[in-house]
Each structure stands twice: as C-alpha cells, then as structure tokens.
Amino acid sequence: MAVPIAILDCDLLLYGRGHRMLDRFKLEDVTDEYLVSMYGFPRQFIYYLVDLLGASLSRPTQRSRAISPETQILAALGFYTSGSFQTRMGDAIGISQASMSRCVANVTEALVERASQFIHFPEDEASVQSLKDDFYGLAGMPGVLGVIDCTHVAIKAPNAEDLSYVNRKGLHSLNCLMVCDARGALLSAETHWPGSLQDGTVLQQAALNSQFEAGLHKDGWLLGDSSFFLRTWLMTPLHIPETTAEYRYNMAHSATHSVIEQTFRTIRSRFRCLDGSKGTLQYSPEKSSHIILACCVLHNISLEHGLDVWSSPATGQMEQPEEEYEQMESLDSEACRIRRELLLSHFS
C-alpha cells in the first residue's frame, strides 16, 4: 500500500524551526495489516507505546526532539522487527536512515529505563501461587517459579576486549541469561554477558544468583538444564536416570523447561534484529545489550496486550553455540536432598 508523504530536509526534520514536533505519518491513515507488515505490531499497541514513552521521547535534551514520539517509535519498531534500516521504511515515515538510527537509540533507552516495570518476578503470595500452578499444569512439576536458560545474540567484533566476546563457534556474541513463566513472559533478563562465558559461569556472576542466594524468592525453584549446577533453588535433570521415578522426573523437567526454548525462538522470530538473518547487531556490546533488553520489554508488553507468545512462527534464528560441559552433580548436599525428596513425593 503506497503512503503519500513528503521527504523533508534532514536537518529541518531533526531540529525544526522553533523545535516543533513534525508529523510525517498518520497511524489512522493506514490499515492494521500495513502496520503489522512494516512495523510488526497493530495500531492499538503502537498507541500504547506512544502513551508509555512519549514523555521520554519528547525531552528537550534529545537531538531528535523535532521528530514526534510516534515517528520515533515506528522507526524503532521497524528496525527491531526487520533487522535493518531499510530505505523504504525510512521513506514511509519521512526520515533518513541516519535519523532512524537516532530514533532507535532514543526508543531503546526509553524502554530500558522501564525494564524493571515489565520484567520481574511476582511478589504477592497469590501471584506466586498462580505462577506455580501454571507450571504444574504443563507436566506435573511442582514448586516451579520459572525456567532458566541462556541464548546467544551475534554482535560485531568490539574494538576492545575482543576475545571475551568470542563464543565456542568463533563468533562474537552476547550470552543472555533469561527466566520466563509458563506463558513465556520474561521474569528476568540479563543481556550483557560476553559470549565467551559458559552458561553456568554467567549464572554464578549474575544478579539473579544473588537474589536467590539471599532468599528473595522462597518456597520454590527454577528449572535449568545440565549446563547449570544443582542448587537448593535450581533443579536440574538427572544425568543418568535409573528408576521409574527418575525417568518421570526427567520427562516432566524436560517438558516444563521447553517453555524457555520456545520463548527464545519466538523472541528471535518477532524481533529479527536478534536472529542473525540480517547479520550481526552493528553496535558496541553495551548498545547491543540495550537493544536486546528493549526487545525483551516489548515481548512482555505484547503478551500483556494479548499478542500471544506462541502465535509468531519461528522463521529464523541464530545458530546457538553448543555448550561443552561435564555432566557433574552438585556438591551441595542440601540441594541433592531437596531433589531426592521431590522425586519421592511427586514422581514415585
């Protein structure tokens, strides 16, 4: 669908006479189908983002203050969901590719500022119990507060500390530690870890580890794969199951843990800037980390608006480096006791 617009001088667009907000594109002039095809989201979702981020994107200290929040958000969504600064996308909203890049930076920071508002564990007792009930309904695994795993996102080679971002496949990446609930909504997202770090090392150094060790999330546990050590708050599968109960436990663990794998696929499918199909993120590790976190925030907001996590087909994804780790049982005797009791009480 062709949208008639006028491409104005870039400097005028950025700074404007008297720093006025310039409207280049009217959401009401196009269909939802067009918005979804170009920007990945329908009209009402975009209106919500304008209300949520408008004040931050209108701050007089920003260089792109003459570009309306609506246009900045469209530019950022276009990049997140396509993975490139396409000329036709910039033309559609009346800004240059350079201006689009600045809009992406502004919207990214505004979303990162609100990350804790949308990505967090539930705190009240009723919500925590509902979280456990939802997980139990998947495969009969009790006490689950979240499923945890890491995923790599490719980035360009940084100028400094280059080797720390090289993963096991020889690619530069960020290793992102995430936890989600049974619906695929993220409860925790740490997106800044260098790709050379193995999953277990990332968790050991993560803020999430400190929270659980301090007892901030009690009366339950996370589920993680064998790249993590067994903890009192982190249940892992048995390396060599022998009894019927152990096989049942491993099957329930695997079925429940698969939610995070599906969530990773959905995020990479919805936000093609992360899936590697258009190349690596061409930013510093810090800026790349912020873009990933911004996409995580949008993922959770989209769930709140009924855009189902399972509705987007997994059309592409970055090939993940295979973790090479020894299958070692934890030396934490208390953690072993808790898992043993779990086996006896629920899977025997």
PDB file of all heavy atoms in Angstrom, residues 309-342:
ATOM      1  N   VAL A 309       2.461 -15.270  22.800  1.00  0.00           N
ATOM      2  CA  VAL A 309       3.861 -15.631  22.598  1.00  0.00           C
ATOM      3  C   VAL A 309       4.002 -16.764  21.598  1.00  0.00           C
ATOM      4  O   VAL A 309       4.999 -16.894  20.914  1.00  0.00           O
ATOM      5  CB  VAL A 309       4.522 -16.027  23.939  1.00  0.00           C
ATOM      6  CG1 VAL A 309       3.918 -17.299  24.489  1.00  0.00           C
ATOM      7  CG2 VAL A 309       6.030 -16.183  23.793  1.00  0.00           C
ATOM      8  N   TRP A 310       2.977 -17.619  21.463  1.00  0.00           N
ATOM      9  CA  TRP A 310       3.112 -18.774  20.574  1.00  0.00           C
ATOM     10  C   TRP A 310       2.585 -18.486  19.176  1.00  0.00           C
ATOM     11  O   TRP A 310       2.619 -19.357  18.330  1.00  0.00           O
ATOM     12  CB  TRP A 310       2.349 -19.974  21.139  1.00  0.00           C
ATOM     13  CG  TRP A 310       2.599 -20.224  22.586  1.00  0.00           C
ATOM     14  CD1 TRP A 310       1.659 -20.349  23.563  1.00  0.00           C
ATOM     15  CD2 TRP A 310       3.864 -20.389  23.249  1.00  0.00           C
ATOM     16  NE1 TRP A 310       2.255 -20.578  24.779  1.00  0.00           N
ATOM     17  CE2 TRP A 310       3.596 -20.607  24.622  1.00  0.00           C
ATOM     18  CE3 TRP A 310       5.195 -20.378  22.816  1.00  0.00           C
ATOM     19  CZ2 TRP A 310       4.602 -20.804  25.558  1.00  0.00           C
ATOM     20  CZ3 TRP A 310       6.204 -20.570  23.760  1.00  0.00           C
ATOM     21  CH2 TRP A 310       5.909 -20.771  25.101  1.00  0.00           C
ATOM     22  N   SER A 311       2.087 -17.275  18.931  1.00  0.00           N
ATOM     23  CA  SER A 311       1.396 -17.018  17.669  1.00  0.00           C
ATOM     24  C   SER A 311       2.346 -16.731  16.514  1.00  0.00           C
ATOM     25  O   SER A 311       1.957 -16.835  15.362  1.00  0.00           O
ATOM     26  CB  SER A 311       0.423 -15.844  17.825  1.00  0.00           C
ATOM     27  OG  SER A 311       1.124 -14.651  18.113  1.00  0.00           O
ATOM     28  N   SER A 312       3.596 -16.337  16.793  1.00  0.00           N
ATOM     29  CA  SER A 312       4.515 -15.988  15.722  1.00  0.00           C
ATOM     30  C   SER A 312       5.318 -17.207  15.309  1.00  0.00           C
ATOM     31  O   SER A 312       5.967 -17.837  16.129  1.00  0.00           O
ATOM     32  CB  SER A 312       5.482 -14.879  16.183  1.00  0.00           C
ATOM     33  OG  SER A 312       4.773 -13.735  16.546  1.00  0.00           O
ATOM     34  N   PRO A 313       5.313 -17.556  14.010  1.00  0.00           N
ATOM     35  CA  PRO A 313       6.099 -18.706  13.568  1.00  0.00           C
ATOM     36  C   PRO A 313       7.581 -18.427  13.689  1.00  0.00           C
ATOM     37  O   PRO A 313       8.046 -17.304  13.496  1.00  0.00           O
ATOM     38  CB  PRO A 313       5.689 -18.866  12.099  1.00  0.00           C
ATOM     39  CG  PRO A 313       5.244 -17.503  11.672  1.00  0.00           C
ATOM     40  CD  PRO A 313       4.617 -16.879  12.891  1.00  0.00           C
ATOM     41  N   ALA A 314       8.363 -19.441  14.013  1.00  0.00           N
ATOM     42  CA  ALA A 314       9.813 -19.295  14.141  1.00  0.00           C
ATOM     43  C   ALA A 314      10.429 -19.365  12.755  1.00  0.00           C
ATOM     44  O   ALA A 314      10.764 -20.425  12.245  1.00  0.00           O
ATOM     45  CB  ALA A 314      10.380 -20.395  15.028  1.00  0.00           C
ATOM     46  N   THR A 315      10.546 -18.208  12.098  1.00  0.00           N
ATOM     47  CA  THR A 315      11.007 -18.174  10.719  1.00  0.00           C
ATOM     48  C   THR A 315      12.511 -18.115  10.600  1.00  0.00           C
ATOM     49  O   THR A 315      13.063 -18.235   9.530  1.00  0.00           O
ATOM     50  CB  THR A 315      10.410 -16.942  10.007  1.00  0.00           C
ATOM     51  OG1 THR A 315      10.738 -15.764  10.763  1.00  0.00           O
ATOM     52  CG2 THR A 315       8.900 -17.049   9.918  1.00  0.00           C
ATOM     53  N   GLY A 316      13.187 -17.910  11.684  1.00  0.00           N
ATOM     54  CA  GLY A 316      14.640 -17.848  11.614  1.00  0.00           C
ATOM     55  C   GLY A 316      15.223 -17.647  12.989  1.00  0.00           C
ATOM     56  O   GLY A 316      14.586 -17.143  13.878  1.00  0.00           O
ATOM     57  N   GLN A 317      16.468 -18.058  13.176  1.00  0.00           N
ATOM     58  CA  GLN A 317      17.113 -17.878  14.458  1.00  0.00           C
ATOM     59  C   GLN A 317      18.607 -18.017  14.300  1.00  0.00           C
ATOM     60  O   GLN A 317      19.095 -18.666  13.395  1.00  0.00           O
ATOM     61  CB  GLN A 317      16.610 -18.909  15.480  1.00  0.00           C
ATOM     62  CG  GLN A 317      16.972 -20.361  15.144  1.00  0.00           C
ATOM     63  CD  GLN A 317      16.372 -21.322  16.148  1.00  0.00           C
ATOM     64  OE1 GLN A 317      15.182 -21.365  16.338  1.00  0.00           O
ATOM     65  NE2 GLN A 317      17.207 -22.120  16.750  1.00  0.00           N
ATOM     66  N   MET A 318      19.316 -17.374  15.189  1.00  0.00           N
ATOM     67  CA  MET A 318      20.763 -17.520  15.180  1.00  0.00           C
ATOM     68  C   MET A 318      21.130 -18.906  15.667  1.00  0.00           C
ATOM     69  O   MET A 318      20.569 -19.406  16.638  1.00  0.00           O
ATOM     70  CB  MET A 318      21.395 -16.478  16.118  1.00  0.00           C
ATOM     71  CG  MET A 318      22.895 -16.656  16.261  1.00  0.00           C
ATOM     72  SD  MET A 318      23.576 -15.607  17.552  1.00  0.00           S
ATOM     73  CE  MET A 318      25.241 -16.282  17.661  1.00  0.00           C
ATOM     74  N   GLU A 319      22.067 -19.540  14.958  1.00  0.00           N
ATOM     75  CA  GLU A 319      22.522 -20.845  15.410  1.00  0.00           C
ATOM     76  C   GLU A 319      23.255 -20.685  16.723  1.00  0.00           C
ATOM     77  O   GLU A 319      24.197 -19.898  16.838  1.00  0.00           O
ATOM     78  CB  GLU A 319      23.455 -21.458  14.355  1.00  0.00           C
ATOM     79  CG  GLU A 319      23.887 -22.865  14.699  1.00  0.00           C
ATOM     80  CD  GLU A 319      24.777 -23.473  13.631  1.00  0.00           C
ATOM     81  OE1 GLU A 319      25.099 -22.764  12.668  1.00  0.00           O
ATOM     82  OE2 GLU A 319      25.163 -24.642  13.784  1.00  0.00           O
ATOM     83  N   GLN A 320      22.823 -21.429  17.728  1.00  0.00           N
ATOM     84  CA  GLN A 320      23.367 -21.289  19.065  1.00  0.00           C
ATOM     85  C   GLN A 320      24.609 -22.137  19.250  1.00  0.00           C
ATOM     86  O   GLN A 320      24.644 -23.296  18.826  1.00  0.00           O
ATOM     87  CB  GLN A 320      22.318 -21.715  20.102  1.00  0.00           C
ATOM     88  CG  GLN A 320      21.078 -20.842  20.082  1.00  0.00           C
ATOM     89  CD  GLN A 320      21.372 -19.420  20.469  1.00  0.00           C
ATOM     90  OE1 GLN A 320      21.797 -19.125  21.574  1.00  0.00           O
ATOM     91  NE2 GLN A 320      21.149 -18.504  19.552  1.00  0.00           N
ATOM     92  N   PRO A 321      25.665 -21.582  19.854  1.00  0.00           N
ATOM     93  CA  PRO A 321      26.840 -22.396  20.132  1.00  0.00           C
ATOM     94  C   PRO A 321      26.513 -23.504  21.105  1.00  0.00           C
ATOM     95  O   PRO A 321      25.822 -23.290  22.095  1.00  0.00           O
ATOM     96  CB  PRO A 321      27.835 -21.399  20.748  1.00  0.00           C
ATOM     97  CG  PRO A 321      27.077 -20.189  21.080  1.00  0.00           C
ATOM     98  CD  PRO A 321      25.791 -20.205  20.314  1.00  0.00           C
ATOM     99  N   GLU A 322      26.981 -24.687  20.805  1.00  0.00           N
ATOM    100  CA  GLU A 322      26.722 -25.809  21.688  1.00  0.00           C
ATOM    101  C   GLU A 322      27.600 -25.716  22.924  1.00  0.00           C
ATOM    102  O   GLU A 322      28.799 -25.528  22.835  1.00  0.00           O
ATOM    103  CB  GLU A 322      26.991 -27.135  20.963  1.00  0.00           C
ATOM    104  CG  GLU A 322      26.066 -27.363  19.771  1.00  0.00           C
ATOM    105  CD  GLU A 322      26.404 -28.658  19.070  1.00  0.00           C
ATOM    106  OE1 GLU A 322      27.323 -29.365  19.543  1.00  0.00           O
ATOM    107  OE2 GLU A 322      25.762 -28.962  18.048  1.00  0.00           O
ATOM    108  N   GLU A 323      26.964 -25.830  24.074  1.00  0.00           N
ATOM    109  CA  GLU A 323      27.708 -25.799  25.323  1.00  0.00           C
ATOM    110  C   GLU A 323      28.469 -27.104  25.511  1.00  0.00           C
ATOM    111  O   GLU A 323      27.931 -28.185  25.298  1.00  0.00           O
ATOM    112  CB  GLU A 323      26.759 -25.589  26.501  1.00  0.00           C
ATOM    113  CG  GLU A 323      26.217 -24.185  26.604  1.00  0.00           C
ATOM    114  CD  GLU A 323      27.250 -23.189  27.065  1.00  0.00           C
ATOM    115  OE1 GLU A 323      28.246 -23.601  27.686  1.00  0.00           O
ATOM    116  OE2 GLU A 323      27.075 -21.995  26.808  1.00  0.00           O
ATOM    117  N   GLU A 324      29.714 -26.999  25.868  1.00  0.00           N
ATOM    118  CA  GLU A 324      30.508 -28.176  26.187  1.00  0.00           C
ATOM    119  C   GLU A 324      30.775 -28.152  27.679  1.00  0.00           C
ATOM    120  O   GLU A 324      31.530 -27.322  28.173  1.00  0.00           O
ATOM    121  CB  GLU A 324      31.822 -28.161  25.409  1.00  0.00           C
ATOM    122  CG  GLU A 324      31.611 -28.214  23.899  1.00  0.00           C
ATOM    123  CD  GLU A 324      32.943 -28.130  23.154  1.00  0.00           C
ATOM    124  OE1 GLU A 324      34.003 -28.215  23.831  1.00  0.00           O
ATOM    125  OE2 GLU A 324      32.924 -27.979  21.934  1.00  0.00           O
ATOM    126  N   TYR A 325      30.110 -29.035  28.394  1.00  0.00           N
ATOM    127  CA  TYR A 325      30.261 -29.045  29.842  1.00  0.00           C
ATOM    128  C   TYR A 325      30.249 -30.477  30.319  1.00  0.00           C
ATOM    129  O   TYR A 325      29.696 -31.367  29.696  1.00  0.00           O
ATOM    130  CB  TYR A 325      29.129 -28.251  30.525  1.00  0.00           C
ATOM    131  CG  TYR A 325      27.751 -28.614  30.042  1.00  0.00           C
ATOM    132  CD1 TYR A 325      27.093 -29.748  30.517  1.00  0.00           C
ATOM    133  CD2 TYR A 325      27.114 -27.817  29.088  1.00  0.00           C
ATOM    134  CE1 TYR A 325      25.826 -30.077  30.053  1.00  0.00           C
ATOM    135  CE2 TYR A 325      25.856 -28.140  28.642  1.00  0.00           C
ATOM    136  CZ  TYR A 325      25.231 -29.258  29.116  1.00  0.00           C
ATOM    137  OH  TYR A 325      23.990 -29.588  28.658  1.00  0.00           O
ATOM    138  N   GLU A 326      30.910 -30.684  31.424  1.00  0.00           N
ATOM    139  CA  GLU A 326      30.907 -32.007  32.022  1.00  0.00           C
ATOM    140  C   GLU A 326      29.617 -32.183  32.806  1.00  0.00           C
ATOM    141  O   GLU A 326      29.154 -31.287  33.500  1.00  0.00           O
ATOM    142  CB  GLU A 326      32.108 -32.167  32.965  1.00  0.00           C
ATOM    143  CG  GLU A 326      33.449 -32.105  32.259  1.00  0.00           C
ATOM    144  CD  GLU A 326      34.595 -32.305  33.242  1.00  0.00           C
ATOM    145  OE1 GLU A 326      34.381 -33.011  34.252  1.00  0.00           O
ATOM    146  OE2 GLU A 326      35.669 -31.766  33.012  1.00  0.00           O
ATOM    147  N   GLN A 327      29.031 -33.375  32.672  1.00  0.00           N
ATOM    148  CA  GLN A 327      27.826 -33.680  33.428  1.00  0.00           C
ATOM    149  C   GLN A 327      28.244 -33.998  34.864  1.00  0.00           C
ATOM    150  O   GLN A 327      28.650 -35.098  35.181  1.00  0.00           O
ATOM    151  CB  GLN A 327      27.108 -34.878  32.801  1.00  0.00           C
ATOM    152  CG  GLN A 327      26.600 -34.603  31.394  1.00  0.00           C
ATOM    153  CD  GLN A 327      25.257 -33.894  31.415  1.00  0.00           C
ATOM    154  OE1 GLN A 327      24.707 -33.637  32.490  1.00  0.00           O
ATOM    155  NE2 GLN A 327      24.726 -33.565  30.264  1.00  0.00           N
ATOM    156  N   MET A 328      28.168 -32.992  35.722  1.00  0.00           N
ATOM    157  CA  MET A 328      28.627 -33.149  37.103  1.00  0.00           C
ATOM    158  C   MET A 328      27.480 -32.869  38.057  1.00  0.00           C
ATOM    159  O   MET A 328      26.744 -31.905  37.883  1.00  0.00           O
ATOM    160  CB  MET A 328      29.793 -32.205  37.398  1.00  0.00           C
ATOM    161  CG  MET A 328      31.039 -32.488  36.563  1.00  0.00           C
ATOM    162  SD  MET A 328      32.328 -31.273  36.891  1.00  0.00           S
ATOM    163  CE  MET A 328      32.644 -31.559  38.620  1.00  0.00           C
ATOM    164  N   GLU A 329      27.340 -33.709  39.025  1.00  0.00           N
ATOM    165  CA  GLU A 329      26.335 -33.474  40.051  1.00  0.00           C
ATOM    166  C   GLU A 329      26.846 -32.461  41.066  1.00  0.00           C
ATOM    167  O   GLU A 329      28.043 -32.376  41.330  1.00  0.00           O
ATOM    168  CB  GLU A 329      25.973 -34.789  40.746  1.00  0.00           C
ATOM    169  CG  GLU A 329      25.207 -35.746  39.850  1.00  0.00           C
ATOM    170  CD  GLU A 329      23.911 -35.141  39.315  1.00  0.00           C
ATOM    171  OE1 GLU A 329      23.212 -34.463  40.090  1.00  0.00           O
ATOM    172  OE2 GLU A 329      23.617 -35.331  38.134  1.00  0.00           O
ATOM    173  N   SER A 330      25.931 -31.711  41.631  1.00  0.00           N
ATOM    174  CA  SER A 330      26.292 -30.685  42.596  1.00  0.00           C
ATOM    175  C   SER A 330      26.874 -31.305  43.866  1.00  0.00           C
ATOM    176  O   SER A 330      26.491 -32.390  44.285  1.00  0.00           O
ATOM    177  CB  SER A 330      25.049 -29.857  42.942  1.00  0.00           C
ATOM    178  OG  SER A 330      25.328 -28.970  43.995  1.00  0.00           O
ATOM    179  N   LEU A 331      27.799 -30.583  44.456  1.00  0.00           N
ATOM    180  CA  LEU A 331      28.342 -30.982  45.754  1.00  0.00           C
ATOM    181  C   LEU A 331      27.494 -30.444  46.898  1.00  0.00           C
ATOM    182  O   LEU A 331      27.818 -30.655  48.057  1.00  0.00           O
ATOM    183  CB  LEU A 331      29.783 -30.465  45.882  1.00  0.00           C
ATOM    184  CG  LEU A 331      30.784 -31.021  44.860  1.00  0.00           C
ATOM    185  CD1 LEU A 331      32.156 -30.381  45.082  1.00  0.00           C
ATOM    186  CD2 LEU A 331      30.870 -32.534  44.962  1.00  0.00           C
ATOM    187  N   ASP A 332      26.410 -29.736  46.531  1.00  0.00           N
ATOM    188  CA  ASP A 332      25.501 -29.172  47.531  1.00  0.00           C
ATOM    189  C   ASP A 332      24.604 -30.282  48.062  1.00  0.00           C
ATOM    190  O   ASP A 332      23.634 -30.700  47.409  1.00  0.00           O
ATOM    191  CB  ASP A 332      24.669 -28.057  46.882  1.00  0.00           C
ATOM    192  CG  ASP A 332      23.834 -27.289  47.882  1.00  0.00           C
ATOM    193  OD1 ASP A 332      23.499 -27.856  48.943  1.00  0.00           O
ATOM    194  OD2 ASP A 332      23.503 -26.123  47.597  1.00  0.00           O
ATOM    195  N   SER A 333      24.904 -30.781  49.243  1.00  0.00           N
ATOM    196  CA  SER A 333      24.149 -31.912  49.802  1.00  0.00           C
ATOM    197  C   SER A 333      22.701 -31.553  50.073  1.00  0.00           C
ATOM    198  O   SER A 333      21.803 -32.390  49.923  1.00  0.00           O
ATOM    199  CB  SER A 333      24.819 -32.412  51.090  1.00  0.00           C
ATOM    200  OG  SER A 333      24.875 -31.379  52.056  1.00  0.00           O
ATOM    201  N   GLU A 334      22.443 -30.311  50.469  1.00  0.00           N
ATOM    202  CA  GLU A 334      21.075 -29.883  50.725  1.00  0.00           C
ATOM    203  C   GLU A 334      20.269 -29.862  49.430  1.00  0.00           C
ATOM    204  O   GLU A 334      19.097 -30.256  49.398  1.00  0.00           O
ATOM    205  CB  GLU A 334      21.073 -28.501  51.377  1.00  0.00           C
ATOM    206  CG  GLU A 334      19.694 -27.927  51.673  1.00  0.00           C
ATOM    207  CD  GLU A 334      18.904 -28.766  52.685  1.00  0.00           C
ATOM    208  OE1 GLU A 334      19.486 -29.661  53.323  1.00  0.00           O
ATOM    209  OE2 GLU A 334      17.693 -28.511  52.832  1.00  0.00           O
ATOM    210  N   ALA A 335      20.892 -29.413  48.339  1.00  0.00           N
ATOM    211  CA  ALA A 335      20.214 -29.410  47.046  1.00  0.00           C
ATOM    212  C   ALA A 335      19.903 -30.830  46.598  1.00  0.00           C
ATOM    213  O   ALA A 335      18.811 -31.106  46.066  1.00  0.00           O
ATOM    214  CB  ALA A 335      21.071 -28.699  46.005  1.00  0.00           C
ATOM    215  N   CYS A 336      20.827 -31.733  46.806  1.00  0.00           N
ATOM    216  CA  CYS A 336      20.595 -33.148  46.462  1.00  0.00           C
ATOM    217  C   CYS A 336      19.442 -33.726  47.279  1.00  0.00           C
ATOM    218  O   CYS A 336      18.616 -34.492  46.759  1.00  0.00           O
ATOM    219  CB  CYS A 336      21.867 -33.961  46.696  1.00  0.00           C
ATOM    220  SG  CYS A 336      23.220 -33.573  45.550  1.00  0.00           S
ATOM    221  N   ARG A 337      19.376 -33.352  48.555  1.00  0.00           N
ATOM    222  CA  ARG A 337      18.304 -33.846  49.420  1.00  0.00           C
ATOM    223  C   ARG A 337      16.949 -33.339  48.937  1.00  0.00           C
ATOM    224  O   ARG A 337      15.964 -34.103  48.891  1.00  0.00           O
ATOM    225  CB  ARG A 337      18.546 -33.393  50.865  1.00  0.00           C
ATOM    226  CG  ARG A 337      17.510 -33.927  51.859  1.00  0.00           C
ATOM    227  CD  ARG A 337      17.618 -33.228  53.209  1.00  0.00           C
ATOM    228  NE  ARG A 337      17.301 -31.803  53.136  1.00  0.00           N
ATOM    229  CZ  ARG A 337      16.058 -31.329  53.078  1.00  0.00           C
ATOM    230  NH1 ARG A 337      15.014 -32.166  53.075  1.00  0.00           N
ATOM    231  NH2 ARG A 337      15.845 -30.024  53.019  1.00  0.00           N
ATOM    232  N   ILE A 338      16.882 -32.061  48.555  1.00  0.00           N
ATOM    233  CA  ILE A 338      15.621 -31.481  48.092  1.00  0.00           C
ATOM    234  C   ILE A 338      15.156 -32.179  46.815  1.00  0.00           C
ATOM    235  O   ILE A 338      13.969 -32.516  46.676  1.00  0.00           O
ATOM    236  CB  ILE A 338      15.786 -29.963  47.865  1.00  0.00           C
ATOM    237  CG1 ILE A 338      15.955 -29.249  49.207  1.00  0.00           C
ATOM    238  CG2 ILE A 338      14.595 -29.394  47.092  1.00  0.00           C
ATOM    239  CD1 ILE A 338      16.259 -27.776  49.087  1.00  0.00           C
ATOM    240  N   ARG A 339      16.082 -32.414  45.893  1.00  0.00           N
ATOM    241  CA  ARG A 339      15.674 -33.090  44.657  1.00  0.00           C
ATOM    242  C   ARG A 339      15.238 -34.528  44.927  1.00  0.00           C
ATOM    243  O   ARG A 339      14.288 -35.029  44.325  1.00  0.00           O
ATOM    244  CB  ARG A 339      16.805 -33.058  43.623  1.00  0.00           C
ATOM    245  CG  ARG A 339      16.382 -33.648  42.273  1.00  0.00           C
ATOM    246  CD  ARG A 339      17.407 -33.400  41.188  1.00  0.00           C
ATOM    247  NE  ARG A 339      18.658 -34.092  41.458  1.00  0.00           N
ATOM    248  CZ  ARG A 339      19.712 -34.038  40.630  1.00  0.00           C
ATOM    249  NH1 ARG A 339      19.661 -33.304  39.525  1.00  0.00           N
ATOM    250  NH2 ARG A 339      20.811 -34.688  40.931  1.00  0.00           N
ATOM    251  N   ARG A 340      15.915 -35.192  45.843  1.00  0.00           N
ATOM    252  CA  ARG A 340      15.563 -36.567  46.198  1.00  0.00           C
ATOM    253  C   ARG A 340      14.157 -36.617  46.809  1.00  0.00           C
ATOM    254  O   ARG A 340      13.346 -37.496  46.482  1.00  0.00           O
ATOM    255  CB  ARG A 340      16.597 -37.136  47.160  1.00  0.00           C
ATOM    256  CG  ARG A 340      16.508 -38.637  47.382  1.00  0.00           C
ATOM    257  CD  ARG A 340      17.813 -39.186  47.946  1.00  0.00           C
ATOM    258  NE  ARG A 340      18.256 -38.443  49.127  1.00  0.00           N
ATOM    259  CZ  ARG A 340      19.356 -37.694  49.168  1.00  0.00           C
ATOM    260  NH1 ARG A 340      20.131 -37.574  48.089  1.00  0.00           N
ATOM    261  NH2 ARG A 340      19.701 -37.055  50.270  1.00  0.00           N
ATOM    262  N   GLU A 341      13.858 -35.664  47.680  1.00  0.00           N
ATOM    263  CA  GLU A 341      12.512 -35.596  48.278  1.00  0.00           C
ATOM    264  C   GLU A 341      11.445 -35.297  47.206  1.00  0.00           C
ATOM    265  O   GLU A 341      10.335 -35.829  47.277  1.00  0.00           O
ATOM    266  CB  GLU A 341      12.479 -34.527  49.362  1.00  0.00           C
ATOM    267  CG  GLU A 341      13.191 -34.914  50.636  1.00  0.00           C
ATOM    268  CD  GLU A 341      12.957 -33.910  51.768  1.00  0.00           C
ATOM    269  OE1 GLU A 341      12.282 -32.874  51.490  1.00  0.00           O
ATOM    270  OE2 GLU A 341      13.426 -34.153  52.882  1.00  0.00           O
ATOM    271  N   LEU A 342      11.814 -34.458  46.250  1.00  0.00           N
ATOM    272  CA  LEU A 342      10.902 -34.148  45.166  1.00  0.00           C
ATOM    273  C   LEU A 342      10.579 -35.414  44.345  1.00  0.00           C
ATOM    274  O   LEU A 342       9.430 -35.670  43.984  1.00  0.00           O
ATOM    275  CB  LEU A 342      11.521 -33.074  44.267  1.00  0.00           C
ATOM    276  CG  LEU A 342      10.722 -32.629  43.030  1.00  0.00           C
ATOM    277  CD1 LEU A 342       9.373 -32.066  43.441  1.00  0.00           C
ATOM    278  CD2 LEU A 342      11.527 -31.598  42.251  1.00  0.00           C
TER     279      LEU A 342
END
